[in-house]
């Protein structure tokens, strides 16, 4: 069974990999044997994390399609292939919808949805040419439900789009050797979530709404990605793997 989860000889890129869930994913893929490239918009943070983890770094802003193409091509050229792409970069804004400006809306959608598409397209072109690959997109339980009490309509909309984009690309590309899946985390103890937990009302509602009664840890998300990246998930495509402490069951 162990060999099904092994990623030896494979190359992975993780966007938004400088911190939080992305850093944990990069660590998990590295520990499973993959050669890992962190891709992040912040070169200082990305380089520092890459050095700490003993992996490699490439800079790109996921809202810039040309930069994404260049970064992913660099990974493939450097390593000889791109086998795993984890499209994880994301942002959130908690603003009432009636106060949401055009710029706020576009910013959230451009990073969380446009950026995921650009990364899927760049990875897909490389993987389709080689006849194999696994793409994992970071969705969210917010793509299945509308969070409360905090307002975040743009984020929820973008993440629902990621989940359906994943299914659409799986239908297009699976017969050509490329699997496309997504993960949908619940509340996870990243810096953003920790700031939200500082609001007592939010904290109470979040924890009461989670059957396991706590937020998750980034290290609890990484194994789901390793599974979807590996041969252990060879019959999974178009799957959205929800890792939310049970939040979406109520």
């Amino acid at each position: 069974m162990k060999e099904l989860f092994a990623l030896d000889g494979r190359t992975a890129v993780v966007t938004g990999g400088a911190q939080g869930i992305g850093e944990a994913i990069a660590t998990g893929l590295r520990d499973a044997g993959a050669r890992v490239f962190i891709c992040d918009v912040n070169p200082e943070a990305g380089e520092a994390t890459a050095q700490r983890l003993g992996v490699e770094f490439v800079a790109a802003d996921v809202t810039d399609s040309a930069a994404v193409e260049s970064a992913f091509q660099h990974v493939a050229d450097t390593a000889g292939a791109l086998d795993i792409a984890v499209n994880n970069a994301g942002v959130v804004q908690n603003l009432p919808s009636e106060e949401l400006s055009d710029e706020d809306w576009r910013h959230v959608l451009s990073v969380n949805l446009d950026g995921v598409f650009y990364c899927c397209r760049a990875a897909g072109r490389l993987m389709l040419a080689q006849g194999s690959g696994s793409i994992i997109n970071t969705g969210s339980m917010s793509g299945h439900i509308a969070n409360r009490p905090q307002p975040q309509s743009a984020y929820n909309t973008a993440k629902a789009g990621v989940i359906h984009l994943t299914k659409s690309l799986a239908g297009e590309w699976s017969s050509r050797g490329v699997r496309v899946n997504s993960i949908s985390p619940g509340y996870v103890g990243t810096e953003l979530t920790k700031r939200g937990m500082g609001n007592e009302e939010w904290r109470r509602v979040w924890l009461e709404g989670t059957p396991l009664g706590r937020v998750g840890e980034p290290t609890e998300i990484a194994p789901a990605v390793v599974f979807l990246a590996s041969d252990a998930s060879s019959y999974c495509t178009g799957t959205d793997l929800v890792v939310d402490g049970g939040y979406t069951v109520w």
Side-chain angles (χ1 to χ4, degrees):
M1 180 63 72
K2 279 195 305 185
E3 61 272 15
L4 288 176
F5 292 88
L7 300 175
D8 301 271
R10 301 186 200 183
T11 300
V13 62
V14 182
T15 68
Q19 61 184 349
I21 291 174
E23 180 180 350
I25 290 169
T27 303
L29 295 171
R30 179 205 65 186
D31 290 350
R35 179 177 180 179
V36 177
F37 288 76
I38 285 173
C39 180
D40 203 274
V41 70
N42 185 328
E44 292 80 14
E47 287 279 12
T49 300
Q51 279 199 341
R52 187 169 64 253
L53 299 185
V55 301
E56 295 163 80
F57 175 72
V58 59
D61 178 349
V62 298
T63 68
D64 181 340
S65 63
V68 169
E69 292 281 347
S70 177
F72 281 36
Q73 188 66 57
H74 169 78
V75 172
D77 290 344
T78 302
L82 177 60
D83 304 296
I84 301 157
V86 183
N87 304 319
N88 170 74
V91 295
V92 65
Q93 288 188 344
N94 300 118
L95 293 170
S97 295
E98 71 274 16
E99 298 175 11
L100 201 64
S101 69
D102 293 355
E103 292 75 21
D104 291 329
W105 173 269
R106 277 295 345 137
H107 176 60
V108 174
L109 270 290
S110 67
V111 176
N112 292 6
L113 185 54
D114 297 350
V116 169
F117 172 71
Y118 296 153
C119 292
C120 285
R121 183 175 62 186
R125 286 169 172 164
L126 294 164
M127 293 175 178
L128 290 167
Q130 68 195 23
S132 64
S134 177
I135 296 172
I136 302 105
N137 298 322
T138 299
S140 171
M141 69 175 185
S142 304
H144 295 274
I145 52 92
N147 301 64
R148 62 185 180 93
Q150 74 279 19
Q152 52 184 53
S153 61
Y155 182 85
N156 298 349
T157 299
K159 291 302 186 178
V162 167
I163 293 166
H164 208 64
L165 173 64
T166 297
K167 295 177 184 296
S168 299
L169 295 178
E172 287 189 48
W173 294 346
S174 293
S175 64
R176 298 159 67 189
V178 179
R179 296 187 298 112
V180 188
N181 294 289
S182 60
I183 57 165
S184 280
Y187 291 116
V188 176
T190 63
E191 288 307 311
L192 282 175
T193 300
K194 288 174 183 175
R195 286 203 293 273
M197 292 285 281
N199 181 312
E200 186 54 38
E201 180 192 6
W202 291 15
R203 179 181 184 279
R204 177 183 57 78
V205 173
W206 292 0
L207 295 183
E208 287 178 356
T210 305
L212 287 183
R214 63 177 178 85
V215 298
E217 294 299 327
T219 52
E220 295 179 292
I221 306 302
V225 175
V226 172
F227 166 68
L228 291 173
S230 73
D231 292 342
S233 64
S234 57
Y235 199 52
C236 293
T237 197
T239 295
D240 182 53
L241 182 50
V242 180
V243 190
D244 69 349
Y247 192 96
T248 54
V249 305
W250 286 341

